Amino acid sequence: SATASSAAGFPEEKISSDISLVDARFGILKKIGPGKMQFVVTDSVPLTTGVEYGWAMKVKTSRDKITWREELELPRMPLSWGGIPKDGEMKISEDNRISTMEREASANDDYIFNFWGVAFGDPKGVYKIRVFLNGTLAREFTFTCSEAD
């Protein structure tokens, strides 16, 4: 199970008439014990196969469900995008640099989130993840993937 840090100090931000963003962070998952992961906020991802990186958002809304869309933009084409997830639509751009995925989530969940795993052949450089909530851009995360120290 993964836990996200508290939203202390994050100013509530209105995304649309009935959706407010209460917390938004980008980071990596760090193993802290058998079956236990910790979310570590960072804008630097080591290009080590298996490292998981992604975003987490907490929203406040009167809706039961929220549709989120994520655009992951790589600096160059990866060796492979891996398998297409079964629980969401994933489309790859013609230049093979941008993945777009759309899913629906319960608005009652604690956090809405998505994570990727570093794979062999992923390019180093600056990546961007744009997250849209019900069609409105909620946050853009910019981070760097580089060789591990």
Side-chain angles (χ1 to χ4, degrees):
S1 66
T3 57
S5 305
S6 75
F10 188 92
E12 189 170 311
E13 186 179 319
K14 207 149 187 62
I15 300 300
S16 64
S17 61
D18 64 345
I19 299 174
S20 291
L21 195 56
V22 179
D23 189 16
R25 335 176 152 238
F26 174 86
I28 60 173
L29 291 178
K30 183 177 178 184
K31 190 172 184 171
I32 57 171
K36 293 192 181 208
M37 304 292 274
Q38 180 181 20
F39 184 82
V40 179
V41 175
T42 183
D43 62 0
S44 181
V45 175
L47 272 180
T48 304
T49 301
V51 169
E52 292 183 65
Y53 62 91
W55 55 270
M57 292 182 176
K58 187 172 180 66
V59 296
K60 204 161 75 173
T61 182
S62 57
R63 298 173 183 239
D64 290 334
K65 299 219 176 267
I66 288 186
T67 300
W68 61 262
R69 184 176 84 241
E70 174 200 80
E71 296 174 358
L72 170 61
E73 182 179 340
L74 279 54
R76 283 177 304 293
M77 181 173 79
L79 199 58
S80 165
W81 279 101
I84 303 296
K86 289 181 174 62
D87 55 351
E89 288 273 330
M90 184 166 120
K91 296 183 176 99
I92 307 300
S93 64
E94 277 197 38
D95 67 2
N96 218 12
R97 289 182 45 237
I98 300 171
S99 158
T100 302
M101 188 180 329
E102 191 166 305
R103 292 189 180 153
E104 191 173 70
S106 167
N108 301 320
D109 288 346
D110 193 20
Y111 276 82
I112 298 170
F113 57 88
N114 194 45
F115 286 86
W116 290 84
V118 173
F120 176 78
D122 283 355
K124 63 181 171 180
V126 176
Y127 287 51
K128 289 182 182 179
I129 291 180
R130 287 176 288 278
V131 182
F132 297 80
L133 300 177
N134 286 5
T136 301
L137 179 64
R139 186 62 82 240
E140 179 175 289
F141 301 101
T142 301
F143 57 99
T144 303
C145 286
S146 55
E147 302 300 325
D149 294 333

